[in-house]
Amino acid sequence: MTRLAIILCVLVVGLFFGSLLIGPAEIGITDSLSALFVDDGGAMTLVMREIRLPRALLALMIGASLGLAGAAMQGYLRNPLAEPGLIGVSGSAAFGAVLAIHTGVAASFALALPFSALAGALCGVFLIMALAGSRGTSLTLILAGIAVSALAAALTSLVLNLSPNPFAASEIVFWMMGSLADRSMTHVWLAAPFMAVGFALLGGLGRGLDALTLGEDSAQAMGIGLTRLRLMLVLGTACVVGAGTAVAGAIGFVGLVVPHLLRPLVGAHPSRLLWASALGGAAMVLTADIAVRVVLPSRDLKLGVLTALVGAPLFLHLILKLRRERI
């Protein structure tokens, strides 16, 4: 376990500095680091502090959030196919942002779009909790999440269908693909408080998730409050996924793929998988964000598109593996 922790930490730190140093602006390593730490008022300082640093920080934060939320969701539902979008928070956040673009609110001030996405995520959480009920089971939570996610997707499609402005429709489509381009430190500070609350809630689920591996009845006998556990899970996931979707758009498959890849390395301990998936998610999003700048730098390849291209084959591999195990 110690070796895995060291490997993941070194990988994340290396990718973080790689994200800072790689970009279309051809700046040497020494000049880049100097511009990052010493403000000389030049163009290189602007590039490092206002373009590359926020992008690297958001990739780190969003990747860790999605990985952590995915591990927590799979541990609670005891299903390796579960992922953060299952409870509909990301879809609700996306609908809030799409509605802001469609109505023109997003053009009123710089933070109108992320604030609208956060409002959509909050509404989605309240609706899920109302549908699931205070004493509902995990199955009830899944059904409520699927219902909210389907409703949000339908409303998003309706907005696209009724959009009279082709430029607004194009902006909606591109935003839903997910990207970290053109983000600033303002977006970092907007997402950070929500993600900090989400990390605190999800990070405290380890003991309860370990107990759930024995079943809900055994977990209750061990003193685990399932209602409180579910509330912490939903609120924590809403905070991290809602904040991530608000500032970067929809970035899928991270919360599904990373816990699945790391689970064999941590054993049957959901509590260990939480921190491992957080580091693994950060590494995956940092790698993907570096790749979109290297593979097609002139075509603005979207981050969400790349993670889907990588995640979908792994998802299919997981399905085939489960089918072979049942034969």
Side-chain angles (χ1 to χ4, degrees):
M1 295 303 301
T2 303
R3 181 181 300 177
L4 177 62
I6 294 174
I7 292 174
L8 289 175
C9 288
V10 171
L11 180 62
V12 170
V13 171
L15 289 170
F16 180 80
F17 278 100
S19 181
L20 289 175
L21 299 175
I22 297 173
E26 297 181 358
I27 307 175
I29 295 177
T30 304
D31 293 336
S32 297
L33 295 178
S34 176
L36 182 63
F37 294 106
V38 179
D39 186 2
D40 59 1
M44 286 191 295
T45 300
L46 180 64
V47 169
M48 292 301 299
R49 294 190 176 186
E50 300 299 327
I51 298 177
R52 292 189 183 178
L53 181 60
R55 187 166 183 165
L57 287 173
L58 284 174
L60 176 70
M61 294 161 55
I62 292 172
S65 298
L66 293 175
L68 178 63
M73 188 67 64
Q74 291 180 14
Y76 176 76
L77 298 176
R78 287 159 287 168
N79 188 338
L81 300 181
E83 55 100 19
L86 185 65
I87 62 173
V89 176
S90 56
S92 301
F95 172 66
V98 165
L99 196 61
I101 296 173
H102 174 73
T103 58
V105 174
S108 59
F109 64 100
L111 295 179
L113 184 62
F115 276 133
S116 299
L118 286 172
L122 186 63
C123 293
V125 170
F126 282 126
L127 184 57
I128 289 167
M129 297 307 296
L131 290 173
S134 59
R135 297 184 180 275
T137 62
S138 58
L139 178 60
T140 308
L141 179 64
I142 294 174
L143 293 176
I146 291 174
V148 171
S149 182
L151 177 62
L155 292 175
T156 300
S157 299
L158 178 64
V159 171
L160 275 170
N161 181 230
L162 299 179
S163 179
N165 188 343
F167 297 103
S170 177
E171 185 179 356
I172 290 171
V173 171
F174 278 114
W175 183 86
M176 291 179 63
M177 292 180 183
S179 176
L180 294 176
D182 302 323
R183 300 306 187 266
S184 66
M185 289 302 296
T186 303
H187 294 90
V188 174
W189 292 118
L190 174 65
F194 294 95
M195 289 187 176
V197 173
F199 264 80
L201 291 172
L202 296 176
L205 298 179
R207 179 174 174 269
L209 296 180
D210 284 344
L212 271 178
T213 58
L214 303 175
E216 293 187 359
D217 293 337
S218 298
Q220 286 182 317
M222 296 171 64
I224 302 298
L226 297 182
T227 301
R228 179 175 178 273
L229 184 70
R230 185 182 62 175
L231 181 62
M232 292 176 62
L233 173 74
V234 173
L235 292 180
T237 302
C239 286
V240 297
V241 176
T245 305
V247 297
I251 300 175
F253 285 98
V254 178
L256 172 66
V257 172
V258 173
H260 170 64
L261 293 178
L262 294 176
R263 184 173 288 105
L265 304 178
V266 300
H269 297 280
S271 58
R272 297 178 182 176
L273 186 61
L274 291 177
W275 63 263
S277 294
L279 292 172
M284 180 176 178
V285 176
L286 283 167
T287 303
D289 190 49
I290 293 173
V292 300
R293 285 178 270 176
V294 174
V295 176
L296 292 172
S298 61
R299 299 299 299 272
D300 190 23
L301 179 63
K302 298 299 182 182
L303 179 62
V305 175
L306 184 60
T307 57
L309 287 174
V310 174
L314 291 174
F315 183 72
L316 293 174
H317 168 71
L318 176 60
I319 295 175
L320 293 175
K321 181 181 177 181
L322 291 175
R323 287 182 60 183
R324 287 196 300 266
E325 289 176 353
R326 292 185 176 182
I327 296 176

